[in-house]
Each structure stands twice: as C-alpha cells, then as structure tokens.
Amino acid sequence: MAQVVTQQGARKRRSSFEETQSGHSTCEKISFTTCVFASPFVFGVISSMRDIYVLKFGANVELMGVFNFIVLFVSAFIDPLTGYLQDTWFSWYECIMPRERWGKRAPYCTIAMICATVFLFLSYFPPSNMYEVWWLMVFLGCVVCTSTVNVGYVTSLFSLYKFKKERVMAEGFGYMMKTGGLLLGFFFFVVLY
C-alpha cells in the first residue's frame, strides 16, 4: 500500500513538473536571451562616446552634461511609450512577420536592433561643429532602441515562461547577457580611447 502511495505521489510530482515546462531546452533559453546582449553593448559604446567627443573633438562639456541629463530624464518615459505602442500598434507587419509565428514583439525588437546599429555607426561620424547636437540625437535614438528591445524581451519572457522555475533561469541568462553586453560596450570605449 505504501509503495502505491509513493508511486502516485511521484507521478503527481512528475506531471506537475511537466506542466511547468515550456518545452524549451537550456540552449533555446540562452538563444532567446541573446537579444538583450546587443542593445546594452550599443548603449555602452554610445554613452561612452560622450567622453571622446569632449576629449578628441572639443565638444562643450557643460552642454554634453545637460544633453546627457535630458536623455536620461526622457528615458523614464520611453519604456511605457514603447510598451504601449507594442501592445496597440501591431497590424503593420502582418504581411512580413505573421503574429501567430513571430509574436507581436519580435518585429519591434528586430527593427530596433537594426536602428541601434545605424546609430552606433553614425556616432563615429559626427559632423564638424555639431558634436553636441549630433551626440544628443544619436544617444536619444539609442535609448529608444534599447528601451524597445528591453520591453519586448521582458514581456516575451513572461508570455513564454509562465512558471517561475523556468522564468528565473531565463532571467538569469538574460542578466548575464545584459551585463556582458554593457561591459563589452564600455571596454570598447577603452580600446577606442
């Protein structure tokens, strides 16, 4: 009798564990979190370019500080705005990336990463005598792109991994990716300097 009870308990535990699984392997979870590696990298590089603009190009230090404050202040409002747009404005890409297959966040993340790459490229070619304004535009664009990727990643994380055990594992990989990207971005600045 005791053996039957323990076997039933083991079956219950096994079935409840299977219900908490998304079916993704550890490699698929790591692959999913790679989307948040690139945006902190770009953020690290472009935010550090402020110092290169000042030291190499002679940009106005006070103006760069004011623009940095403006971008970081505005960034507090960008997350809710990009989240709202991703929730409400999604019919434009149905012919390219069907929502049933890609989800409603993937096109925004894809376009944001392409734009972030363009901003990264543009940060290396500032027009003369417009360094401060150029950096403001490039950094603001980078913050919008980074916010779009982060909002898409976090909401996709909660929709893909509904159970805490898997979500904690995926979040851990995501934090490693974000930290690695940001550190590599700042290291990139040291090499450039």
Side-chain angles (χ1 to χ4, degrees):
M1 182 70 171
Q3 224 177 9
V4 172
V5 171
T6 55
Q7 286 176 351
Q8 287 175 345
R11 267 190 246 130
K12 271 186 176 178
R13 281 194 301 276
R14 196 175 20 235
S15 68
S16 69
F17 179 72
E18 288 168 359
E19 289 172 3
T20 63
Q21 297 292 313
S22 65
H24 292 174
S25 67
T26 302
C27 289
E28 287 173 322
K29 290 176 187 145
I30 293 171
S31 173
F32 168 70
T33 59
T34 57
C35 70
V36 292
F37 176 83
S39 58
F41 171 76
V42 171
F43 181 84
V45 171
I46 292 178
S47 64
S48 300
M49 291 293 273
R50 171 189 65 229
D51 299 331
I52 293 176
Y53 279 30
V54 168
L55 297 173
K56 184 173 179 175
F57 300 124
N60 186 331
V61 177
E62 290 86 12
L63 201 54
M64 292 294 273
V66 168
F67 285 163
N68 188 50
F69 173 77
I70 289 171
V71 170
L72 295 177
F73 180 77
V74 168
S75 70
F77 303 101
I78 292 175
D79 277 356
L81 180 64
T82 56
Y84 174 77
L85 289 175
Q86 289 179 22
D87 282 337
T88 58
W89 191 54
F90 53 81
S91 61
W92 61 271
Y93 65 81
E94 284 290 329
C95 59
I96 302 168
M97 298 174 99
R99 190 173 17 160
E100 293 78 27
R101 180 168 181 201
W102 295 95
K104 64 181 181 180
R105 310 286 179 185
Y108 292 98
C109 293
T110 304
I111 291 169
M113 284 315 305
I114 292 169
C115 292
T117 306
V118 169
F119 287 124
L120 179 63
F121 177 77
L122 291 175
S123 70
Y124 287 97
F125 301 103
S128 58
N129 300 326
M130 288 187 59
Y131 301 120
E132 299 88 2
V133 175
W134 187 260
W135 183 79
L136 172 68
M137 291 187 305
V138 168
F139 191 39
L140 189 59
C142 166
V143 167
V144 170
C145 293
T146 302
S147 172
T148 302
V149 170
N150 285 337
V151 167
Y153 165 73
V154 169
T155 54
S156 296
L157 183 75
F158 278 88
S159 64
L160 280 175
Y161 305 110
K162 297 186 182 344
F163 299 98
K164 186 177 181 181
K165 184 176 181 178
E166 272 195 316
R167 191 167 54 243
V168 166
M169 180 187 285
E171 282 178 344
F173 292 136
Y175 283 119
M176 285 189 273
M177 292 291 176
K178 287 178 185 180
T179 304
L182 195 59
L183 289 176
L184 189 62
F186 286 131
F187 177 72
F188 207 71
F189 161 72
V190 172
V191 170
L192 283 175
Y193 185 67

